[in-house]
Amino acid sequence: MKQFTIHAAKTNLSKLIEAALDGEEVVIAKGDKPVVRLVPIRRTPFKIGLLKDRLGEGPDFFEPMPEDDLDLWEGGR
């Protein structure tokens, strides 16, 4: 575990971020009291089609609308 004062952390923030990304535990202290820990955010890769085959068929927006629905959209009764 590496511990740095707030002033040292401000001065070396880029290096501390790299250390945290490399798996080192980085602690920032106010005086000699630890107050925060710098940890990387775990990112999972984005997967296209995650819900494919689970949602079923959606409406076909290119098909003509039925006449009664079209009348409602156009303000008819």
Side-chain angles (χ1 to χ4, degrees), residues 3-4 12 35 38 43 52 58 62 67 72 77:
Q3 183 167 311
F4 299 88
N12 299 300
V35 289
L38 199 59
R43 294 188 183 196
K52 185 181 177 189
F62 296 107
E67 287 295 322
L72 290 173
R77 294 185 188 259

Side-chain angles (χ1 to χ4, degrees), residues 15-75:
K15 292 177 186 175
L16 297 180
I17 290 172
E18 287 302 318
L21 290 173
D22 290 339
E24 294 182 43
E25 185 175 352
V26 178
V27 175
I28 300 174
K30 196 172 204 176
D32 60 349
K33 181 181 176 187
V35 289
V36 295
R37 181 179 307 134
L38 199 59
V39 295
I41 296 175
R42 303 255 188 272
R43 294 188 183 196
T44 57
F46 180 75
K47 182 178 178 185
I48 295 177
L50 182 67
L51 297 177
K52 185 181 177 189
D53 302 328
R54 292 187 186 181
L55 297 177
E57 287 291 318
D60 186 357
F61 292 105
F62 296 107
E63 287 294 315
M65 193 179 265
E67 287 295 322
D68 53 339
D69 286 344
L70 187 57
D71 286 341
L72 290 173
W73 275 99
E74 292 178 342

